[in-house]
Amino acid sequence: MSVRTRFTITVAAIVAVTVALFASLSIVALDRALRTGFEARLHSAAQTIATAVDVHHGRISLDPSDLRALGPLHADTPFAVYDDAGKQIAGDALPEATRGTLQTSSVSVKRGGRTYGTVTVWQSSVWIDEFDRDAAIVSIAVGLLLIALGVVVSRRVAARVLAPVGEIASLAERIEGHDLSARLQAEGNDELARLCASFDRMLDRLQSAFSRERRFVADASHELRAPLAVLRAETDLALRRERTNEEYRSALTSIARESARLEELVDELLAAARAEVDARRQQTLDASELVRDLGERVGPAAATRGMAVRVDTPGEVLARANRATLERALLAVVHNAIEYGRDDGTVCLRTSRNADTVTIEVADDGPGFSDAALAHATERFWRGDTAHPRGGTGLGLAIARTIVEANRGHLELANAADGGAIVTIALAAA
């Protein structure tokens, strides 16, 4: 059953229940009001007759003049006068056959605190029952009309309100993994417009993710193809004919070098995949302590190039992140600074904090980033200087950015005013 049909049935049921309750309560209230007024009118008529009755010598007396005075009242309200023994003295006989449909009212004839008889008046209450029946028929007719109107209106409202949802469903059915360009472009500021806008933003993220994955697969294929081709060529050449020990040694050395490169690439890719998952498990950590530990770890690597590692921290700086993955990201950034910094230079690690952000900076005094590097250095497998002798996988800064973003932070590249590269990592403060 569609949402539109369920909405229509729900509206029809609500209208039916509302009409039934309103009609029932209205009929009961009107019936009660009519019967109360009817009883009050009969009681007033009986009281008037009891006041007009004369009492002589301890008995009720009705002479012709009394009957003529009661004539106008008797025209529409039959009455009977009884003495204290219950014997009818004057008036009409109370009908027996229709007694169940009659409304009666009796008033005692009292004089001086003594009761001399009773006056009873009556009228048929059939008209009240007929009114109740007619009101019920009208209520049913009006209820059916309102239910029909509610069904028509609810279907139109449902069609209008659910139109964006139908567009979302149709768009989702049309979307395939290779084409995420379609958008809803909904206008307005209501809930459905915001839903459509959220759906469009989700499609933007999906399209961006698909583009990154396609680019990653293409780049990874390209990066893996080169060492595999070298391995295949060296193996084919070594097996083509008998060779000297030096030739075999040279071929094995080349194979070992390319195998190590393959292993490095695979390790980097697996680390990136694991880091995105691990980064979701965050805890409170001291960024200053992490930076100090990192400075001690990379000190020997920096010393091989005559570089010094300086740590500048103001004390305890608490942040929210996953320590293991953040340490890996910082290690990749610091290694990049050591590799591309100036010989005999300095790598500086700094931490700071404002109201809601913890900042970690890694700066070197080398040549800094080129314009192309500032735009693309955090992309996987990007290398700005293909002639650079140090090589690398092209994954370090890309993995660092992925880890930082998974920790709900962001990574920025910049150049210092007096030269050198600066990598800034901003995280949420604890």
Side-chain angles (χ1 to χ4, degrees):
M1 185 182 296
S2 65
V3 175
R4 181 177 176 180
T5 302
R6 290 201 298 269
F7 178 75
T8 302
I9 293 175
T10 301
V11 171
I14 292 174
V15 171
V17 172
T18 303
V19 169
L21 288 175
F22 179 77
S24 300
L25 293 175
S26 299
I27 292 173
V28 169
L30 288 173
D31 179 82
R32 182 63 179 169
L34 289 175
R35 293 189 184 278
T36 301
F38 188 47
E39 291 174 0
R41 189 168 65 252
L42 289 179
H43 181 78
S44 176
Q47 188 70 41
T48 301
I49 297 173
T51 304
V53 170
D54 291 332
V55 177
H56 297 288
H57 307 294
R59 289 179 174 277
I60 294 176
S61 174
L62 284 174
D63 54 29
S65 62
D66 294 333
L67 293 177
R68 284 195 301 272
L70 295 176
L73 183 62
H74 179 269
D76 61 348
T77 306
F79 71 94
V81 180
Y82 302 91
D83 60 14
D84 54 355
K87 180 181 178 182
Q88 184 174 358
I89 300 173
D92 304 308
L94 183 66
E96 295 291 339
T98 57
R99 187 182 295 271
T101 63
L102 294 179
Q103 183 72 34
T104 64
S105 179
S106 299
V107 174
S108 299
V109 178
K110 293 184 178 181
R111 300 290 185 273
R114 178 180 173 184
T115 301
Y116 294 95
T118 305
V119 175
T120 300
V121 298
W122 64 87
Q123 278 188 356
S124 174
S125 61
V126 173
W127 65 277
I128 298 180
D129 297 332
E130 292 176 348
F131 173 84
D132 292 342
R133 183 173 62 253
D134 294 341
I137 294 174
V138 172
S139 298
I140 292 174
V142 172
L144 293 176
L145 178 61
L146 290 177
I147 291 173
L149 183 62
V151 170
V152 174
V153 172
S154 64
R155 288 188 66 83
R156 292 191 176 182
V157 171
R160 182 178 180 84
V161 171
L162 297 176
V165 179
E167 293 177 6
I168 292 175
S170 299
L171 181 60
E173 292 173 357
R174 295 197 308 269
I175 287 175
E176 297 182 6
H178 61 273
D179 182 15
L180 295 171
S181 59
R183 296 294 184 273
L184 292 170
Q185 301 294 342
E187 298 180 355
N189 195 32
D190 56 8
E191 291 81 358
L192 288 174
R194 294 200 297 271
L195 173 62
C196 294
S198 300
F199 193 79
D200 285 344
R201 289 194 297 270
M202 181 192 70
L203 290 178
D204 291 338
R205 292 192 297 271
L206 285 176
Q207 187 174 21
S208 177
F210 272 104
S211 299
R212 288 197 304 270
E213 292 305 317
R214 291 194 192 99
R215 187 168 60 251
F216 169 73
V217 171
D219 293 341
S221 301
H222 174 74
E223 293 291 331
L224 293 174
R225 187 181 295 114
L228 287 173
V230 173
L231 288 175
R232 180 66 180 270
E234 291 289 349
T235 303
D236 289 343
L237 288 174
L239 296 176
R240 186 170 299 173
R241 60 179 177 82
E242 291 292 332
R243 302 195 178 264
T244 64
N245 290 338
E246 290 300 324
E247 291 174 332
Y248 279 125
R249 182 180 296 275
S250 176
L252 291 175
T253 300
S254 177
I255 290 173
R257 183 173 58 250
E258 297 302 325
S259 297
R261 177 172 173 76
L262 277 174
E263 184 178 6
E264 183 182 5
L265 280 171
V266 172
D267 287 344
E268 293 285 356
L269 294 175
L270 291 177
R274 286 196 301 267
E276 292 187 61
V277 177
D278 294 339
R280 298 169 187 164
R281 298 190 294 270
Q282 297 185 347
Q283 65 267 5
T284 300
L285 57 89
D286 185 358
S288 296
E289 179 191 359
L290 178 61
V291 166
R292 287 193 294 268
D293 292 344
L294 186 63
E296 294 178 1
R297 288 180 56 186
V298 300
T304 60
R305 297 194 57 208
M307 302 175 72
V309 178
R310 189 175 77 245
V311 178
D312 182 8
T313 58
E316 186 179 64
V317 177
L318 299 181
R320 287 291 298 173
N322 180 272
R323 182 184 178 91
T325 59
L326 181 60
E327 185 176 6
R328 182 177 183 85
L330 285 171
L331 194 61
V333 173
V334 173
H335 277 166
N336 191 77
I338 293 173
E339 184 172 348
Y340 291 93
R342 179 174 57 84
D343 291 338
D344 300 326
T346 302
V347 175
C348 184
L349 308 180
R350 291 186 289 265
T351 60
S352 61
R353 172 177 176 164
N354 57 22
D356 55 2
T357 304
V358 169
T359 302
I360 303 174
E361 286 187 359
V362 179
D364 62 55
D365 51 5
F369 293 108
S370 65
D371 292 339
L374 288 174
H376 303 290
T378 56
E379 297 177 4
R380 290 173 176 174
F381 301 112
W382 187 87
R383 295 188 186 89
D385 186 3
T386 56
H388 198 287
R390 297 181 182 91
T393 62
L395 289 170
L397 290 179
I399 292 176
R401 188 198 67 178
T402 300
I403 291 174
V404 171
E405 290 178 352
N407 278 285
R408 299 183 179 87
H410 63 273
L411 182 146
E412 293 181 357
L413 307 181
N415 289 322
D418 55 351
I422 300 177
V423 179
T424 303
I425 295 175
L427 300 169

